[in-house]
Every structure is written in structure tokens, then in C-alpha cells.
Amino acid sequence: MADLNPRQREAVRYLDGPLLVLAGAGSGKTSVITRKIAHLIEYAGYPGRHIAAVTFTNKAAREMKERVGKLVDRRAARGLTVATFHNLGLTILREEHDAVGYHPGFSIFDAEDARALLRDLLAEHAADTGLEIGDLQATISSWKNAMLLPDQALSRANDAREERFAVIYQHYADYLKAYNALDFDDLILLPVLLFRNHEEVLQKWQRRIRYLLVDEYQDTNLSQYELVRMLVGHRQGLTVVGDDDQSIYAWRGARPENLAQLKEDFPSLKIVKLEQNYRSMRRILSTANTVIANNPHVFDKALWSELGVGDPIRVLRCRNEEGEAERIASEILDQRLRSRSEYRDFAVLYRGNHQSKLLEIKLQAYQVPYKISGGTSFFARNEIKDAMAYLRLLTNPDDDVAFLRVVNVPRREIGPRTLEQLTGYARQRSMSLTRSLDEVGAESHIQGRALDKLLRFTHFLHDVRHRLENEDDTLGVIRRMFTDVEYEEWLHQNASSAKQAQKRMENVWYLLDSIEQMEPTEDDGDTEQTLEEAVSRLVLRDILDRQEEEDDSDRVQLMTLHASKGLEFPNVFIMGLEEELLPHRSSIESETIEEERRLMYVGITRAQRCLTLTYAGQRKQYGEVIEPIPSRFLDEMPDEHVEREGSSDRDPEANQRRGRATLSALMDDLS
């Protein structure tokens, strides 16, 4: 334990009662948990089979188990449980299925399975009420996390909407039982109910799990807290590790107050604070401490570091959202050159996935490789793939992959058998699907009605191509094409909500606008870029992106602030520091700013060496240009650690300094 600091050693060695390790960001909490498991086995005499360590992700569980494996003899650790909450619940339910009224081999419904069942029930029981499937699924999940059964949810319903949801919840539970199936939330709820109703089963599991360790405790919901409390029982062999300042999942039921509740349920609770940070420079930590100090605290702590002062935090005001995206792209190139960093050393964080859209286009324009984490790449979204397939067919009718993607999008009642017949004939004739339809021989391989449907589709595309050749408004023709095929109506039919369908259609329009705005490359000359050139460039990007997905080496990381938790990067950008964006408008309206501030704290503490914050002076919103108010979190930062660049995209003096530094770095590389 020589490599542990005094507080870490204290946490590892303490066995006299329940323990809360209040672990700040970058304070080495994983080392504490793994070392404590080793200490329990090697020095306290706990057999591995009587120890359980619980966390929230499979990745964290695997890492924990690997580290323990390097510290403890395999035989001594035999039977050790290192799992997620839901895996632990599943283990309990598999063994106790009779007691909860399920047959062996029960199924587990994922989110899509559950959504499909709920969609049918919504259509059957509340078809004309305007209720949305997403709201229904989220509400039922929150009820389960709060351990409310259908009858309890119905009795506590506040309005007609919740009453309808509770009625569907009852039908949903009945169907799951009939299918011998559970959903994700049941994996925690049912073990808790089992332990409440069967004391002998609870005692059995308390005898089996004699010491329990829980990671990321601030992210537990009510049912998870109850599961922990019941398993620990009177033995009080418990160590939990958490940080109330990093509780950012209230939207999925997390309760940071569970940390405070520990003091009431376990009066002898000991608290050890891990405040030494091994990740970030002192300016970054001081800024994080100052911002989060604006939240009320049950437990006070202040992170510190021995890694040095570091550079000032930069706050950049950009002209508009396009200027913001372009500035970030150029800054990454600039900083990478000056510091001789890799692309993987940079991360751009944002409040919502929609913010990545413009940033992706700018990064591509600057030829900066990137990876989307915690969200879907703009070019990987289904609606963008559909739109690209249509564009590829317009420029190259022989593109079979594009043809097969959209021949039934929107649905044209062309079945798989018909497409199989068409493919077989085209292969026989060694030609593309579209060309094979022009041959007389196609009639002998494809039934009349099916052939008519295929021909209507190809003739429609032919007419669009004809209009493109004879009309000046290229983008107008393409827009009419998507309107004529009723693509937006199809999105509404297949989306979970009208809002989601609208967003997807907006993405398609955004793609078309970006094509119009694409600048010709040097190879294209000064001439106006044709649709064929624009599409070919976008297709190439798509191909390269797919290749890069297979080679996850040196790329800038793009992710939401939520997705960044637990990660660290030498250079971090946080964009969109504006009121109603960060903090989010919903948090302002619901007066839950504390969680948004914790989210900001998480973002700041991802940075190791360099932190840059950006916001836009103007932003388009609902078709209008507004002037957003800079985020309150910027005002909360200490002036002595912050360098603010004023009203223009670049402060002249700062620009000159940066230019000289970049030139110097370039000259060094050339020498």
C-alpha cells in the first residue's frame, strides 16, 4: 500500500463499520475499491465468495475484476462477485425465480422490446389521447425505480394522463408475466420485493454476501439504495464510494441524497474524504471548486493537486454558432501543432447531441478525424443514410446498395421475395438492379404487380434526374423529391413521437443546406460545385468514417457532458456556455440548476492540462436569430484563473501571440 496516500490507506484498512468514501474527481477511487477487496481477502479473512462489488457499467466491472486479479491469488478470490447492479439482480432472480412467480429461462426485454409492447398497449387503450410512447416508457421506468407497483401508481396519479399511464402499466405488467419476461427495471425492483416478502430468502443472501462494496453511489436510485440496505442488514459490512458533486443522472432516477441517507440508516457511518486529485492542474481544480461551491452541500470537500498551476482557462466568445464550431476546429489544429499532441488528446463536450452536427461538418472541412461517443454521428443517423442513398441514386442509378436501402423507404409494399427475384435476375444478366428493370426479360422473373411498383419507383427517380438537368434550382428539386415521396410522413409513422420525427426531418434539410454551402476543393477549381461532386465527397467521407470506426486510433472525441463522466483528456473544450443551453432551459424552468452545475463540474474536471470554454454571441433558434445570455457558470469562475477573449472571434493580441507560437512550433518541426 506504499503507493496509496494516507486517506486512501485509511479507507482500505477501515473494517469497524460502514464506510463512505467521498471521492472527488480523479482521486483514485478505483484503486481504493480494488485494494480494499484485496485487503478483505488477504488480511481480514473474507472468502472471495462472500464479497460483492457493485458498479454501474460492464466496463467498470471488468476493470475492477482485472485489477483484483492482479492483486489476489486466484484461489483465494474464487467466487468473488464483481458485477453491475442489474447483473446482481439477475443472479438473484435466476436462483429465486420460483419465489417471484417466474419459470426458469425467463426472458429479459430490452428497451426496444418493451417499447414495441407499450406501443401496442397505447394504441389499444389510449389511441386518441395524444400520449407519447417515450413519455409512457419513461414514466413506467420512474415508477419502478421508485418501487411503485401499478395499483400504487394508479392511487397516486395526479391527473388523467398519469391515470391512463397507470392503467397501461398494469396491462404491461400482466403481459410481461404472461410472456415469462422481465424488463430492465424489474431486475432491481423484483429482488427488492422478493426480500421484503420473503425474510428467509433475504437472510440467505445476507449470509452469502457478507461484505458489499458499491461504486458511484451518488448514481443509485431508490430501488438500488433499498437493495443495498437490505443486503447489508445488521452485519453492516459496507463500503460505498461516491461524490455528490458528480451526481448528474436525476433524469433516470439517481438520488444524490442517498449519500446523506446513509448517515441516518447507518448511524456509525465513517466518512473518509479523497481530495487529492491526480488528473488536473491546479487552475482547473480551483475553477471547479469555485463553481461547485455555489451548490448546497451535505459533505464539504476541496480538490487539490501537486501537478502544477497550469495555463489559464480560456473563455472564447464567438460570433455565432458557425463561428463557434469553426473556432473549435481551428483551435484543435493550432493547439495540436503547438503542443505536439495527438488528436486523441482532445475532447469536445456539449450539453446535447444536436450540438455536434455543425461541429462535425467543420471538423471534416478542416480534415480533423473525430469520433462521436455517447451519441450517434450525424452521418450515421438513419435519416441521413436514407437521404444520402437517394442522392447517390440520383447521381448514379447503378448504385445497388443505395437502391436496396430506399426502395421501400417510404414503404412501397415491395416485399423481400420481389427484391430477391430482382437481384437474382440482375446477377444473371450481370447488370445493376435499375438497368435490369429496363429489360423485357424482367417480366418473366417478377410478378406483374410487383414489377409495376418497382418501375414506378425507378420512373420517379428518372423524372427527378430530368428536372435536375433542366432546372437551375438543384436543391429545390431535391427538396420537392423528399416532399413528393412523403418522407416526413413516413418518419412520423415510425418515430416514437412527433417531436422526434420533426428533428429527423430537420436533419435531412440541414444536410441539403450543407451541400449547398460546401466550398469547392482546390481540385474542383473555382467553378460551382455540381451535385455529383458534392455527393461523391460526402460518400467518400462516409467510407473513410467507416474505416476509421474499425481503426479507433487517433481521433478527437466528441461527446455529451453526461457521456464524459469517468473519462479524462489532456485538452478539453466545452461548447455552448449559454443560458438555456448550459444550464439547460428545462433545468431553469424546473429550478434544478444544482444538477446542471454538477454537470458543469464534471465537464471541467475531465481536463488534465488545458480547458477551453466557448459560447456564441448569436444563435439561430426556431428560425430566428437571437443573442443568448452567457452562462451563469462563466460568472461563477474565478477571474484570476480565467482568460477571456472579448467580443470578436479573436482578440488581436491573443491572435498575434498564438500565431507567433504556432509559427515557432512549425519552424521547429521543419528544422
Side-chain angles (χ1 to χ4, degrees), residues 262-328:
L262 282 168
K263 296 172 69 175
E264 296 184 21
D265 291 338
F266 301 98
S268 61
L269 181 74
K270 181 178 178 63
I271 300 172
V272 174
K273 298 179 184 179
L274 303 184
E275 297 173 296
Q276 184 174 358
N277 176 283
Y278 296 93
R279 174 187 300 159
S280 306
M281 310 299 280
R282 288 206 291 273
R283 285 189 193 272
I284 294 171
L285 294 180
S286 181
T287 300
N289 288 336
T290 304
V291 170
I292 202 64
N294 290 278
N295 273 5
H297 284 81
V298 177
F299 308 102
D300 292 321
K301 68 176 186 308
L303 296 179
W304 59 276
S305 171
E306 295 180 340
L307 298 178
V309 177
D311 296 331
I313 286 80
R314 296 174 64 212
V315 177
L316 311 180
R317 181 188 185 277
C318 305
R319 182 179 63 258
N320 50 32
E321 66 261 48
E322 185 172 350
E324 181 184 37
E326 187 157 351
R327 182 70 187 274
I328 291 171

Side-chain angles (χ1 to χ4, degrees), residues 385-605:
K385 289 183 176 180
D386 292 343
M388 285 297 300
Y390 271 105
L391 294 175
R392 285 160 55 185
L393 277 178
L394 291 179
T395 58
N396 177 18
D398 295 328
D399 191 331
D400 285 354
V401 174
F403 180 95
L404 290 171
R405 179 169 184 92
V406 295
V407 68
N408 248 339
V409 177
R411 185 166 174 79
R412 299 180 175 91
E413 297 182 343
I414 300 170
R417 176 63 178 162
T418 298
L419 293 175
E420 186 179 334
Q421 291 169 343
L422 175 62
T423 303
Y425 178 71
R427 286 178 179 173
Q428 182 182 323
R429 300 290 296 155
S430 299
M431 58 180 57
S432 71
L433 301 177
T434 303
R435 290 185 189 275
S436 69
L437 286 168
D438 292 333
E439 291 205 335
V440 176
E443 295 179 1
S444 62
H445 289 75
I446 305 170
Q447 296 178 356
R449 289 183 61 190
L451 182 61
D452 287 342
K453 293 172 182 175
L454 287 167
L455 289 173
R456 281 201 298 271
F457 175 60
T458 57
H459 291 163
F460 169 77
L461 291 175
H462 177 77
D463 290 339
V464 176
R465 289 190 204 100
H466 182 73
R467 292 202 301 273
L468 285 171
E469 292 171 1
N470 293 280
E471 296 182 24
D472 294 329
D473 186 9
T474 299
L475 268 295
V477 172
I478 296 173
R479 284 177 174 272
R480 288 205 303 277
M481 176 188 69
F482 283 104
T483 302
D484 290 343
V485 300
E486 299 180 340
Y487 187 75
E488 186 169 2
E489 287 80 357
W490 184 81
L491 287 176
H492 278 275
Q493 292 168 10
N494 292 274
S496 60
S497 68
K499 188 176 181 181
Q500 185 189 60
Q502 186 180 351
K503 284 185 176 180
R504 289 179 176 175
M505 196 66 223
E506 287 173 357
N507 285 336
V508 174
W509 299 142
Y510 189 92
L511 173 71
L512 299 184
D513 290 339
S514 69
I515 291 174
E516 190 174 37
Q517 295 166 9
M518 284 176 68
E519 297 288 335
T521 63
E522 291 181 1
D523 294 336
D524 297 326
D526 296 328
T527 60
E528 183 179 347
Q529 183 170 247
T530 66
L531 177 63
E532 288 81 1
E533 291 167 342
V535 171
S536 64
R537 287 171 61 188
L538 286 172
V539 170
L540 179 59
R541 287 178 189 174
D542 186 42
I543 293 170
L544 293 173
D545 284 347
R546 290 171 189 261
Q547 292 175 346
E548 289 172 354
E549 285 175 4
E550 298 171 3
D551 179 22
D552 186 18
S553 52
D554 189 24
R555 290 185 284 175
V556 175
Q557 304 294 302
L558 311 183
M559 66 188 71
T560 65
L561 286 157
H562 284 97
S564 74
K565 189 168 174 291
L567 304 177
E568 58 186 37
F569 305 93
N571 308 281
V572 170
F573 291 79
I574 305 177
M575 62 186 298
L577 267 295
E578 301 152 27
E579 292 290 301
E580 300 192 357
L581 195 54
L582 181 64
H584 195 271
R585 179 175 57 194
S586 62
S587 71
I588 298 172
E589 293 173 350
S590 60
E591 298 183 351
T592 54
I593 294 295
E594 289 81 6
E595 173 139 345
E596 292 290 294
R597 188 172 284 110
R598 292 195 292 269
L599 192 59
M600 185 67 194
Y601 175 83
V602 166
I604 294 172
T605 55

Side-chain angles (χ1 to χ4, degrees), residues 226-240:
E226 186 66 8
L227 181 63
V228 169
R229 191 187 65 79
M230 297 179 82
L231 282 172
V232 171
H234 67 277
R235 185 176 283 109
Q236 301 207 350
L238 174 68
T239 291
V240 305

